[in-house]
Amino acid sequence: MVSCEPMTTTLTFRRPDDWHLHLRDGAMLAGVIAHSARQFARAIAMPNLDPPIVTAAQALAYRERILAARPAGSDFAPLMTAYLTDGTDPADLAAGFERGVFAAAKLYPAHATTNSAHGVTEVGAIYPVLERMERIGMPLLVHGEVTDPAVDVFDREAVFLERVLARVIGDFPALKVVSEHITTEEAVRFIEEGPATVAATVTPHHLQFNRTAMFQGGLRPHLYCLPVLKRERHRLALRRAATSGNPKFFLGTDSAPHPAAAKEAACGCAGVFNAPVALESYLTVFDEEDALDRFEAFASEHGARFYGLPLNTGTVTMRREPTEVPARIQTPAAEVVPYQADATLGWRLVAG
Ligand code: NCD
Ligand code: ZN
């Protein structure tokens, strides 16, 4: 479906999905959902609300709120996830998956990131849950960072892979695992060398910025997210992986809006709101890497195949043309600063 000649100016490809998205709730949900619905057919809706989405009943109610917040005429479909806690009941979780309420379950190590206080304290605590998930083919989505205060924040992903994920994969060889928003060369290698049951999502910001950019001319709170941006060599490894055509790597924006005031603060929140420019940003990376012919697979095929879901029908069209990104976006909840605020991008989504 991808058409590309030298200096492609228009690209039409299968409608993509976002395999990692924070849609929030209430007024923030109302203000941000249109940005995702414009680009993506489906999205994995992260469960880290406050309180988190733990039960199937909560997921169904949240799903209804998401559907009701869609722009008129939109068929954008959220795929719901369960937030795992030390107390998750394997039978309840499995029932939610088998009824089609949950597409996957999310492991947040307790206190690793935004609204993760109810997360898992030690992975051994959820072994009966993982055993059941393995048996029924329910994917485990992982925020892959240790929370040990003795581990440097830039090393927390690599240490998690070594200390926790390697053990989980060894103990549950048939469990489908997505290592979400990977940020390091070590993670790329871990996924590449791991079994076919293990995959990863990659965000636009980890493909486009390294940790130095977070301090360019001063502190840049809108580039602060978790896992935090890493050194240049890690960014380059992520770009190679994402554009390689390897089906283990797929699109997951981790778009995570916070009120501007909560980020521009003495103790600012982690999260990059990239939904308004997600496809434009990813496409820029593939263009720079001379890999436009691999974009459709990364954005629209690898994730669905990994989850065992049908590919979308329909297409979206992107055109090479300057696109101004606003400095701020007003939502009914608060002003939010988008990723690439005030920048001019080289691509625009022209038809969905
Ligand atoms: C996310 C959020 O704000 O919910 N923040 C982030 O920096 N990515 C949580 C997460 O995915 O870690
Ligand atoms: Zn996230």
Side-chain angles (χ1 to χ4, degrees):
M1 207 176 285
V2 174
S3 54
C4 39
E5 304 95 46
M7 197 57 188
T8 307
T9 54
T10 303
L11 199 66
T12 294
F13 56 97
R14 187 188 295 279
R15 264 180 105 191
D17 301 303
D18 184 349
W19 298 99
H20 184 123
L21 175 62
H22 299 271
L23 282 166
R24 309 303 194 206
D25 208 350
M28 185 64 94
L29 166 64
V32 301
I33 188 171
H35 296 287
S36 295
R38 181 178 76 93
Q39 307 176 62
F40 298 106
R42 296 171 291 197
I44 285 279
M46 283 292 137
N48 64 330
L49 304 184
D50 185 15
I53 302 297
V54 173
T55 65
Q58 288 171 322
L60 280 174
Y62 183 35
R63 183 169 177 277
E64 287 309 311
R65 298 197 295 278
I66 295 170
L67 295 178
R70 294 178 303 182
S74 170
D75 65 352
F76 176 72
L79 303 171
M80 308 314 292
T81 55
Y83 180 115
L84 297 177
T85 71
D86 287 357
T88 299
D89 179 58
D92 281 356
L93 185 73
F97 179 69
E98 281 160 352
R99 280 169 53 214
V101 179
F102 291 130
K106 177 74 189 262
L107 165 59
Y108 288 103
H111 305 291
T113 187
T114 309
N115 292 341
S116 61
H118 305 277
V120 173
T121 53
E122 204 287 306
V123 74
I126 57 162
Y127 261 36
V129 172
L130 300 184
E131 191 271 323
R132 181 68 77 94
M133 289 174 66
E134 178 184 42
R135 196 152 18 108
I136 63 176
M138 181 177 192
L140 174 71
L141 316 182
V142 175
H143 182 107
E145 289 191 287
V146 291
T147 54
D148 181 347
V151 178
D152 189 276
V153 70
F154 292 100
D155 299 332
R156 287 183 180 182
E157 181 176 277
V159 172
F160 181 90
L161 298 174
E162 225 177 84
R163 279 194 201 164
V164 184
L165 201 54
R167 182 176 134 213
V168 166
I169 290 166
D171 289 341
F172 302 98
L175 180 66
K176 279 193 202 181
V177 179
V178 184
S179 190
E180 300 289 348
H181 42 54
I182 58 166
T183 64
T184 57
E185 198 175 18
E186 288 86 346
V188 167
R189 203 174 324 120
F190 186 92
I191 301 298
E192 284 174 343
E193 292 173 0
T197 46
V198 181
T201 54
V202 192
T203 78
H205 40 289
H206 290 100
L207 291 168
Q208 293 193 291
F209 292 97
N210 63 28
R211 68 188 195 181
T212 300
M214 237 181 345
F215 307 102
Q216 196 65 53
L219 189 58
R220 303 282 181 168
H222 300 291
L223 280 180
Y224 172 59
C225 64
L226 288 170
V228 71
L229 298 173
K230 304 295 193 301
R231 283 178 182 278
E232 180 65 358
R233 75 180 160 84
H234 297 295
R235 186 182 76 95
L236 296 178
L238 294 172
R239 286 170 77 100
R240 278 195 299 277
T243 61
S244 67
N246 184 334
K248 289 173 160 186
F249 298 100
F250 43 85
L251 187 158
T253 62
D254 194 20
S255 181
H258 291 276
K263 290 193 64 70
E264 298 163 359
C267 185
C269 294
V272 171
F273 176 46
N274 61 32
V277 293
L279 280 181
E280 289 86 349
S281 302
Y282 281 115
L283 194 58
T284 301
V285 171
F286 276 71
D287 193 8
E288 288 163 357
E289 297 290 326
D290 215 0
L292 287 179
D293 59 330
R294 304 206 177 126
F295 185 66
E296 181 178 47
F298 174 80
S300 317
E301 295 173 358
H302 293 166
R305 291 212 175 99
F306 186 84
Y307 275 80
L309 294 171
L311 299 184
N312 297 316
T313 53
T315 58
V316 296
T317 297
M318 313 267 311
R319 190 183 302 143
R320 191 188 292 279
E321 111 186 4
T323 304
E324 312 274 324
V325 184
R328 293 191 172 230
I329 291 178
Q330 189 62 51
T331 76
E335 261 192 341
V336 188
V337 176
Y339 178 57
Q340 297 285 23
D342 269 334
T344 304
L345 308 181
W347 287 88
R348 180 196 291 273
L349 177 64
V350 287

